[in-house]
Amino acid sequence: MSSPRFDPAHVLKFDLGRGQVEVDGASPRVLVPAEALLELCKHAGPDALRDFGRKLGTEAGRRTADALGAGLAAASLEALVDHLGGNLALMGFGSLALERWGRALVFTVEDSPFGPLGDALLASVVEGALQRAAGRDVEVVVLSRDDASMRLVVLSPPTAERVRSWLQAGTSWGEVLSRLHQPARGEA
Amino acid sequence: MTPQEKIARLESLLERVRRNVVQPRERLSSALTVEDDELSEEPIDGVSAAPAMVETSVVEVSEPIAAIETDFGELEIEELDLTDEEIVDLTEAEELPEEVPVAAAAPESLDWEEAVEPPASSRRPIAAASMDEALAGATSEVAMEEGREIPLKTPPPESGPQEAPLPQMGAAPVPLIEEADIQSAPVAPQGEALLELEEPPAAALEVEQTLFEPAVEAPAAPPEPVPESGQVAPQVVQRPAPVQSAPSAYVAAARGFSPQSFAELLDASLALRAE
């Protein structure tokens, strides 16, 4: 069954008379500069930043789930990237893509307005969107980062904690992906 | 002996008696005497009284002849003066073969009424007036049935005083006539109503001769030459020894993973473990 394509037509509504911006009939939005928001995030704690990011991502996940409907469980990779990436694009968070490294689900975000300082915020947004859309307890770990793009891997909470330690220890993201696919001890 | 033969025999005897009557008595007696002498010259066992029987037989036959004369009284029989040589005894020539004993050729065998068989017909039963007549009739019927074929009689009806015998359960079933038997059974010709059938076209019966050509036997192979020593050794082909190296190599290959949906890939990624 083919999923409907993401259609952004008439999603944003600018009411200049009232001075309000609406996204798909939801609560009013506020257009703020990215740098101001990033400066605020710098002074917030990790938990506050994570909760803030998940709250932003939950809104994107809800709209994605509403668009796919009952076909979300069977939605293809392209369909989910189309809808989730479209909603994140409407929020101005960059361009979302998906990579599959073996069994590892990896998202890439390009042209984020936050830069390297906003990676944690962006990871929290994707994390909140997947939890809302797929209904699973997931953690998103920043795997790599370059000038224009960042790579995010979707893992379970215990695995995400171990991967963070590996990354802090200086393990390359390729080695991390390789380790994730190595068989556990006791397995053939 | 059929009744016609009996009648012919009696007629011949009648003529003979008439001739004897015309002839003088002495000649007849001499003729009988001669016969007596001839018979006495050849004694036969058990026929010692044959001359007396011949003598009496002439007298006994005279009585039925008188009865026959009354039956044939209307016929004018021309009497001819014939000598003994001219007379041909048709009775003896026809009826008495050479091997027949004298007793069988004696006039007493003319008692033909005992040999005549009754007709093979059944008479309508007549109710006997008394028990003696009924027993006598039953006895005579039994005597008659012993010597001839018993005509079939319809069994009495079930509603009569005597119940008809029930059919036996073990009786053999009536064989069913199958259509094939009817077709294969010979049909009696219906007189002149035979139809001449036209011969079928010869083309329908043509058979390709090539299909039934006898297979040509292959020429027999010449016999293999037998070694002069007389010993024939078979050609033995042995399987070569197996190669000691491994027949195949096992290479482990990673199972391909191609998720059909985003949810499948998400679950697979969440299942990854970092040891």
Side-chain angles (χ1 to χ4, degrees):
Chain A
M1 189 179 78
S2 61
S3 302
R5 294 295 305 274
F6 175 73
D7 185 9
H10 306 289
V11 173
L12 290 176
K13 182 180 180 181
F14 293 91
D15 190 352
L16 298 178
R18 298 173 55 191
Q20 293 182 352
V21 179
E22 296 180 358
V23 179
D24 198 14
S27 59
R29 300 293 189 267
V30 177
L31 294 178
V32 297
E35 293 180 357
L37 184 60
L38 184 57
E39 190 64 25
L40 182 61
C41 291
K42 284 183 182 176
H43 298 281
D47 295 338
L49 181 65
R50 190 176 182 184
D51 292 342
F52 177 69
R54 285 189 175 185
K55 189 169 183 65
L56 297 177
T58 300
E59 188 68 20
R62 183 188 61 80
R63 290 195 298 267
T64 300
D66 293 340
L68 295 176
L72 177 63
S76 62
L77 304 179
E78 294 80 5
L80 187 122
V81 170
D82 185 19
H83 285 268
L84 183 58
N87 285 287
L88 292 177
L90 286 176
M91 298 170 66
F93 288 167
S95 175
L96 183 70
L98 184 147
E99 294 178 356
R100 184 176 66 85
W101 293 81
R103 290 176 175 270
L105 172 59
V106 178
F107 282 104
T108 60
V109 179
E110 293 181 354
D111 300 330
S112 170
F114 304 117
L117 297 177
D119 291 344
L121 177 62
L122 201 55
S124 300
V125 171
V126 174
E127 188 176 293
L130 292 178
Q131 288 182 349
R132 177 63 178 86
R136 285 167 174 80
D137 187 13
V138 299
E139 287 191 10
V140 175
V141 178
V142 178
L143 194 59
S144 67
R145 175 73 191 185
D146 56 16
D147 294 340
S149 64
M150 60 175 300
R151 185 169 281 111
L152 306 174
V153 59
V154 181
L155 299 171
S156 63
T159 304
E161 188 66 27
R162 183 68 59 88
V163 168
R164 287 189 186 98
S165 64
W166 289 346
L167 292 173
Q168 291 176 359
T171 306
S172 65
W173 64 275
E175 182 63 20
V176 171
L177 293 177
S178 178
R179 287 185 180 181
L180 288 175
H181 288 83
Q182 289 179 356
R185 295 175 183 175
E187 297 180 1
Chain B
M1 181 178 293
T2 61
Q4 288 76 12
E5 293 175 352
K6 292 286 186 179
I7 293 172
R9 189 174 181 180
L10 288 173
E11 289 177 350
S12 62
L13 288 174
L14 176 61
E15 290 185 2
R16 186 177 179 182
V17 170
R18 285 179 176 175
R19 286 195 302 270
N20 293 333
V21 170
V22 174
Q23 290 178 359
R25 201 66 178 175
E26 296 80 20
R27 186 177 178 180
L28 177 61
S29 60
S30 62
L32 293 174
T33 304
V34 172
E35 292 179 1
D36 190 7
D37 296 338
E38 292 176 356
L39 291 174
S40 61
E41 290 177 357
E42 297 177 359
I44 301 174
D45 296 339
V47 199
S48 56
M53 293 174 61
V54 172
E55 189 67 23
T56 55
S57 64
V58 174
V59 177
E60 290 176 357
V61 169
S62 61
E63 293 181 1
I65 287 174
I68 292 173
E69 280 182 351
T70 56
D71 295 338
F72 295 94
E74 298 178 2
L75 297 178
E76 294 181 357
I77 300 172
E78 183 179 0
E79 295 182 356
L80 300 177
D81 295 334
L82 299 176
T83 62
D84 293 339
E85 291 78 11
E86 294 176 347
I87 295 172
V88 178
D89 192 353
L90 298 176
T91 302
E92 295 180 359
E94 294 178 358
E95 298 298 328
L96 297 177
E98 296 179 359
E99 292 83 9
V100 173
V102 177
E108 70 174 3
S109 62
L110 295 177
D111 191 6
W112 50 272
E113 291 182 358
E114 296 178 356
V116 175
E117 297 179 356
S121 61
S122 59
R123 293 180 297 178
R124 184 172 61 87
I126 301 173
S130 61
M131 183 59 70
D132 295 338
E133 293 181 359
L135 292 175
T139 303
S140 61
E141 287 182 0
V142 170
M144 292 177 62
E145 290 173 356
E146 288 178 353
R148 63 184 179 89
E149 184 180 0
I150 303 173
L152 297 176
K153 297 180 180 179
T154 303
E158 296 182 358
S159 58
Q162 182 179 0
E163 185 177 1
L166 296 175
Q168 298 180 358
M169 298 302 294
V174 178
L176 299 176
I177 300 176
E178 297 182 356
E179 185 177 1
D181 298 337
I182 296 174
Q183 293 179 354
S184 60
V187 179
Q190 300 295 327
E192 298 296 331
L194 296 177
L195 298 177
E196 294 183 358
L197 300 177
E198 296 180 357
E199 294 184 355
L205 300 177
E206 287 183 355
V207 178
E208 294 184 3
Q209 298 295 331
T210 56
L211 296 177
F212 299 96
E213 288 182 352
V216 179
E217 296 181 355
E224 297 181 356
V226 180
E228 297 178 354
S229 60
Q231 297 179 355
V232 179
Q235 180 182 1
V236 179
V237 179
Q238 295 180 348
R239 186 172 65 88
V243 181
Q244 298 299 327
S245 61
S248 61
Y250 297 96
V251 178
R255 188 177 61 179
F257 176 71
S258 58
Q260 300 300 321
S261 64
F262 173 77
E264 186 178 355
L265 177 59
L266 177 61
D267 293 338
S269 182
L270 294 176
L272 292 175
R273 296 179 180 178
E275 296 294 336

